[in-house]
Amino acid sequence: MNQSSQTPPAHDAKALLAQAEAASTASVRATEPPFGFLLSLTLIWAGIFSLYGVINSALWYWSLLLFLPVLVWYIFWSRKRAKSRPALKHSGKYMLGVFVMLAGMQFGNFWIPQTWLLVALKFVALFAVLTTAFWVMRRETITSRIKDGNEQAS
């Protein structure tokens, strides 16, 4: 049987498809904020909100300025990258991540620690909840954008 010169063998087509998928995934991941940014944002967020109700209110409000260096980092980082196309719709897992983040923050507002040990426990709990939520949301955004890009190409 004579194969056309334009139709690559099956193993070449699989390799080319895998290369295109890897390039697409790398491109989408490069436009999303790095996980280090999300981790530092989570550390600051959990630190500030674990001290809510423990330190003086005026000092607590001033502590929100700790977000400024992370914001400046993000602005400078985002200037160097390609503009990401927003996901057209978010998955149920993404919305579950949003819900977990909101529920964790609301629970944190109800929990006013009385000792520094409880402050540390609240910090660990908030850090775990926020890290998990951000990780799920980032992963689902990447997956949604790759799926959307594959559907657009068809």
Side-chain angles (χ1 to χ4, degrees), residues 78-138:
S78 65
R79 290 177 45 191
K80 298 178 195 172
R81 67 175 173 86
K83 184 165 174 32
S84 65
R85 189 178 74 214
L88 296 178
K89 64 179 185 174
H90 290 294
S91 68
K93 291 179 185 176
Y94 180 92
M95 296 312 294
L96 180 65
V98 171
F99 176 75
V100 165
M101 182 177 66
L102 291 174
M105 290 306 299
Q106 190 62 34
F107 176 73
N109 284 336
F110 293 142
W111 180 12
I112 308 283
Q114 302 300 319
T115 66
W116 287 105
L117 177 63
L118 292 176
V119 170
L121 288 174
K122 183 178 178 180
F123 171 80
V124 169
L126 284 176
F127 181 74
V129 166
L130 292 172
T131 302
T132 303
F134 281 148
W135 180 74
V136 167
M137 290 163 56
R138 181 177 188 270

Side-chain angles (χ1 to χ4, degrees), residues 36-107:
F37 168 77
L38 295 178
L39 204 58
S40 61
L41 182 68
T42 304
L43 277 169
I44 294 170
W45 195 338
I48 289 173
F49 284 92
S50 63
L51 294 173
Y52 180 73
V54 175
I55 61 174
N56 184 357
S57 294
L59 179 62
W60 186 84
Y61 283 113
W62 280 105
S63 70
L64 294 174
L65 291 176
L66 292 173
F67 283 112
L68 283 179
V70 177
L71 179 66
V72 169
W73 174 23
Y74 182 75
I75 289 170
F76 282 116
W77 175 83
S78 65
R79 290 177 45 191
K80 298 178 195 172
R81 67 175 173 86
K83 184 165 174 32
S84 65
R85 189 178 74 214
L88 296 178
K89 64 179 185 174
H90 290 294
S91 68
K93 291 179 185 176
Y94 180 92
M95 296 312 294
L96 180 65
V98 171
F99 176 75
V100 165
M101 182 177 66
L102 291 174
M105 290 306 299
Q106 190 62 34
F107 176 73

